[in-house]
Amino acid sequence: MLSPRQGDVSDSVLENIISGIFSDDNQTRQQFLSIIGLLYQAGINIAVGVVSFLVFVFLRPRNSRIYARRYKALANDEQRRPPKIGRGLLAWVPILWRTDEQYLLDSVDVDSVLFLRFLKLNAWLMGIFGVVGMCLILPLNFSNGNNENVTANLKEFTLLWITLYHITKLSIFWLHLACAYLFTGVFAYFLWRECRRYIVIRQKHFASPAYLRKLQSRTIMVTRIPDSLQDNNALGRFIVNRGSAAPTQVSIARKIGELQEMIDSHERAVRKLEQVLHRFLAGNIQTKPRPLLKHEGVMVDAIEHYTTQIQGLEHTINMTRRETELFKPTSVGFISYDSPMMAHDAMRALKKLRPVVATLSPHPKDIIWSNAQMPHGKRLRRLWVARLMSIAFCFVAFWPVAALTFIGDSTNIRVLWPHTSSFFTNNSTLTTIWQNTFSPLVLTLYYITIPYVFRAISRYQGIATHTGVERSVLRKMYVFYFLSNIIVFTLIGLIVRAVFHKKAASEVVSSLPADFIQSINMKAQFWTAYVSLRGLNASFEFAQLISLFMIFFKRYTRHLTPRELRDVTKPPEFDYSPVYSLYLWIFTISMLYSVYAPIALPFAFIAFVLAYWVYKYAVMY
């Protein structure tokens, strides 16, 4: 008998590999995830979380530059500075517990308050749904199925046996339908209550002294100003004729040419001079030679060189600023009023004003000036290009995720490298950990890079403010999570599987809806493991290991000037968009499987509770 050719074997292996990558077998096989497998992963997550918590507890008292950056930055602002935390290991707990919403609204900002309320809302919903699911739905799923093959061995007891998929008695499905309506009703009630609270918080914010003191609170930004109105007096008359109250000041933004470059050069020169002086004055200056640097091939005195450069730039900047009226006007203007109330009244009167567009003014540092001046036609074209780029990225990003999760399955590794088979066979514990932890961990690490891609797309889109860019990133990331994980992953898996089974196109189309739902159901255990792993996201924020390492490295390996040390240890901007989209996605996954596989709900509840307390500390300190 002839043995098969080596080429035939290679083709068969290649077909299995391609099918495994693009039919998402790694997720499908996790329908057989056992209780022990889930406990292994939960144990690893708990261990990592406990280690992160202990690192924070023991390092916090002596590292206030890392764990209390906001407190040190607001040393001279008694009103906004958070309460001082003692050196006790758990001295921060009662402070965090006693801090109420009104204090956060007065001392932090309204965005932080709304974000924490979002986490608290989700924690309440997951807690209520989890109690119903674990006490009612889960036992009925198990008791109303075919339990002939069920074993008491936890290593063989699969989570599939406690999902809706296990049920064989159709008469019990009325309970799942009733729970679905119950969950929907509870969700609608909590959402209605939260919307009412949101209105109250917004009103308090607009009435707060901190908001009323800001210049932008009584200013309107006007964009798309035509050439005929690009004059202070002309724009003021146009606004008043359209029903607005008389403004106190009207200013057209102008193109400042090389002024910004000169200001940046001045900033760099000042920092260079500070570095030179810091090193020179660090010891006994009587015995030290004057610092030198090479300039145009000649060694010159560094202090005199930077001093002369700074003086020259200051003179040029001052002369240029006196000629601002000669700069070319842009299509962006600002209209200020006596009070925020007048500005809001004017905003309502000018809301439908054309051809110009009026909005409440953001902070000047929040404006992306190149985008704010972008012509409407160009912005509209870029909007559609950005949408196409975002959708295309959702489909393109599927391929590396699919390939990496394919490697996370030990069966596929054995196919690629047969000599590893004995290792996986002899190390069942490591195999279980690899099977149930690697794939969700890869997804977690991969998604860290996604916000940077969508942030670049949103800036290209022409959004006028950094805040608007972050809102756009939030929307894009949530759509990305949904499309890439639910739609693209599942649909491509079904299509590739149909191709390898050589199904007719009509058969594929007719069976696609049922197969799509079935595929989503079979992935419940994968998403349970995923939600469990995502709970680690908040525990890492507690330890701040990356910040700890970076600050320690820069502080003790470089001669930092006081300004550089202040910049290194200043409170970072809270990155709302990826965090919001992540927990919104966790909520979506948990709701999707709340009736089918309620085992995911307790993990989601823990994730939201941890996130609430971790991020409450983060926004305060």
Side-chain angles (χ1 to χ4, degrees), residues 70 74 77-82 103 106-108 213:
R70 189 168 176 271
L74 298 175
D77 190 344
E78 292 291 339
Q79 184 176 359
R80 298 182 59 228
R81 187 174 63 176
Y103 174 82
D106 294 337
S107 62
V108 187
R213 285 195 302 265

Side-chain angles (χ1 to χ4, degrees), residues 69-124:
R69 292 191 241 182
R70 189 168 176 271
Y71 176 83
K72 297 186 73 68
L74 298 175
N76 298 322
D77 190 344
E78 292 291 339
Q79 184 176 359
R80 298 182 59 228
R81 187 174 63 176
K84 184 178 180 179
I85 304 177
R87 288 187 172 273
L89 296 181
L90 299 177
W92 52 275
V93 174
I95 295 177
L96 222 61
W97 183 267
R98 291 194 302 263
T99 301
D100 58 9
E101 189 176 276
Q102 185 60 48
Y103 174 82
L104 293 175
L105 192 61
D106 294 337
S107 62
V108 187
D109 56 35
V110 67
D111 293 329
S112 300
V113 172
L114 295 177
F115 174 64
L116 293 176
R117 288 198 64 86
F118 164 76
L119 294 176
K120 186 188 292 187
L121 170 66
N122 289 341
W124 272 104

Side-chain angles (χ1 to χ4, degrees), residues 12 62 75 79 140 173 210 217 268 319 339 343 436 518 560 562:
S12 176
R62 301 183 182 275
Q79 184 176 359
L140 289 175
F173 279 122
S217 67
R268 289 193 295 269
M319 294 297 294
S339 67
N436 301 319
Q518 176 73 357
L560 297 178

Side-chain angles (χ1 to χ4, degrees), residues 260-279 293 302-314 317 561 563-564:
Q260 186 60 49
E261 296 179 8
M262 290 188 288
I263 294 174
D264 294 339
S265 298
H266 179 271
E267 175 71 13
R268 289 193 295 269
V270 170
R271 287 180 176 269
K272 290 285 188 181
L273 179 59
E274 289 176 351
Q275 292 172 357
V276 171
L277 289 173
H278 183 69
R279 294 191 183 95
L293 64 83
I303 297 176
E304 292 183 359
H305 170 76
Y306 287 124
T307 302
T308 304
Q309 184 180 7
I310 291 169
Q311 291 174 347
L313 286 169
E314 286 177 350
I317 290 171
T561 66
R563 187 210 293 255
E564 290 173 332

Side-chain angles (χ1 to χ4, degrees), residues 478-494:
Y478 179 73
V479 172
F480 167 79
Y481 283 135
F482 189 82
L483 284 181
S484 61
N485 290 305
I486 299 297
I487 306 300
V488 179
F489 231 148
T490 304
L491 283 181
I492 290 183
L494 293 174

Side-chain angles (χ1 to χ4, degrees), residues 13 184 220 263 268 294 380 424 439 454 470 477 551 583:
V13 171
T184 303
I220 292 176
I263 294 174
R268 289 193 295 269
K294 193 172 185 178
L380 191 60
F424 286 108
S439 183
F454 284 126
E470 293 305 308
M477 285 199 64
I551 292 175
Y583 285 100

